[in-house]
């Protein structure tokens, strides 16, 4: 029997628990390179060089497959962002912002497919994931920036007025940093963190 067919039959003997991570990895690879709309039971089976029943043994349909993929990648991003947005010094200087961008961009470099799925895909299937992740980032950045603005000497009334647009500036710049690193190989995480961390620090400091 030809090696190709033999390989497919052996693959089918893997149990669903061992096969599911492989299927999700294949789906992520397809989503990151071709878009979520390209993820189908057939495309995943082809990517793994198995038959469709092997995939169906793990996922009832494409919807279930995508739902678990998004859930898994959301968990990875939440773990990354928890590390990036850990509590920092209140009276922050430029180094604090540089360190934050460095931590963020290192996670992007380590998990480019996961970040590309969220920031590089316009597909509706990931819109909810993007929205939840952004809302979490805005909330955490708000908690971090409010006491920092006060420590920098901004009056309380101005803090409440200026906090939202300044947080949006910070979060939007972070999103731009992710897209830049994914799309432009000329930047390293270290270089981009130094540039944007310093720039955002001075922008926020000027607002006080």
């Amino acid at each position: 029997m030809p090696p190709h067919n033999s390989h497919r039959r052996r693959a089918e003997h893997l149990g669903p628990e061992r096969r599911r991570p492989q299927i999700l990895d294949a789906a992520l690879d397809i989503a990151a390179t071709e878009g979520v709309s390209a993820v189908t039971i057939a495309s995943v089976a082809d990517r793994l060089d198995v038959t469709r029943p092997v995939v169906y043994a793990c996922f009832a349909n494409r919807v279930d497959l995508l739902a678990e993929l998004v859930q898994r990648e959301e968990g990875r991003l939440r773990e990354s962002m928890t590390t990036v947005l850990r509590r920092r010094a209140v009276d922050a200087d430029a180094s604090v912002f540089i360190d934050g961008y460095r931590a963020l961009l290192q996670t992007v470099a380590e998990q480019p497919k996961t970040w590309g799925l969220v920031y590089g895909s316009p597909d509706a299937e990931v819109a909810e994931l993007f929205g939840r992740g952004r809302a979490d980032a805005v909330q955490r950045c708000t908690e971090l920036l409010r006491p920092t603005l006060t420590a920098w000497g901004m009056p309380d009334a101005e803090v409440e007025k200026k906090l939202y647009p300044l947080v949006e500036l910070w979060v939007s710049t972070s999103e731009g940093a992710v897209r830049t690193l994914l799309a432009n190989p000329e930047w390293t995480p270290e270089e981009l963190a130094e540039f944007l961390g310093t720039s955002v620090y001075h922008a926020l400091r000027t607002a006080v």
Side-chain angles (χ1 to χ4, degrees), residues 92-95 97-98 101 152 196-206:
D93 58 17
S95 67
F97 289 88
I98 293 170
Y101 278 100
W152 284 345
L196 289 178
T198 301
S199 299
V200 170
Y201 167 73
H202 286 301
L204 296 175
R205 217 46 186 99
T206 302

Side-chain angles (χ1 to χ4, degrees), residues 127-140:
E128 185 179 355
L129 167 59
F130 179 84
R132 288 199 301 268
R134 193 180 198 283
D136 289 345
V138 167
Q139 179 180 352
R140 187 70 183 111

Side-chain angles (χ1 to χ4, degrees), residues 9-199:
R9 190 170 67 244
R10 285 199 304 272
E12 292 172 4
H13 290 312
L14 285 178
E17 292 307 311
R18 293 176 60 193
R19 178 64 66 185
R20 288 172 79 91
Q22 295 180 358
I23 292 173
L24 292 174
D25 288 343
L28 176 60
D29 187 50
I30 294 169
T33 56
E34 303 175 40
V36 175
S37 60
V39 178
T40 64
I41 298 297
S43 67
V44 171
D46 288 344
R47 182 64 60 98
L48 291 173
D49 194 22
V50 299
T51 59
R52 295 184 194 183
V54 173
V55 182
Y56 278 120
C58 299
F59 297 97
N61 50 51
R62 175 179 183 270
V63 174
D64 286 348
L65 170 57
L66 286 174
E68 186 159 330
L69 174 64
V70 169
Q71 183 178 20
R72 187 185 75 166
E73 300 315 305
E74 180 182 25
R76 289 177 173 178
L77 292 184
R78 284 180 179 274
E79 289 178 6
S80 298
M81 293 308 296
T82 297
T83 300
V84 169
L85 292 175
R86 65 183 183 274
R87 185 161 297 281
R88 301 178 185 278
V90 171
D91 192 5
D93 58 17
S95 67
V96 172
F97 289 88
I98 293 170
D99 288 345
Y101 278 100
R102 183 185 298 113
L104 170 64
L105 294 172
Q106 284 174 346
T107 69
V108 177
E110 292 166 1
Q111 304 177 51
K113 292 179 181 178
T114 298
W115 286 93
L117 175 65
V118 177
Y119 284 89
S121 172
D123 295 277
E125 288 90 340
V126 298
E128 185 179 355
L129 167 59
F130 179 84
R132 288 199 301 268
R134 193 180 198 283
D136 289 345
V138 167
Q139 179 180 352
R140 187 70 183 111
C141 287
T142 300
E143 294 170 355
L144 290 170
L145 191 55
R146 179 182 279 110
T148 296
L149 294 176
T150 299
W152 284 345
M154 181 179 286
D156 291 344
E158 286 192 39
V159 169
E160 294 311 313
K161 180 179 180 180
K162 296 180 178 179
L163 183 60
Y164 179 78
L166 292 177
V167 167
E168 278 294 318
L169 170 66
W170 190 8
V171 174
S172 296
T173 304
S174 300
E175 293 168 352
V178 172
R179 292 190 175 96
T180 298
L181 194 66
L182 289 171
N184 194 333
E186 294 182 3
W187 286 100
T188 66
E190 183 68 34
E191 291 170 336
L192 193 54
E194 181 78 26
F195 172 60
L196 289 178
T198 301
S199 299

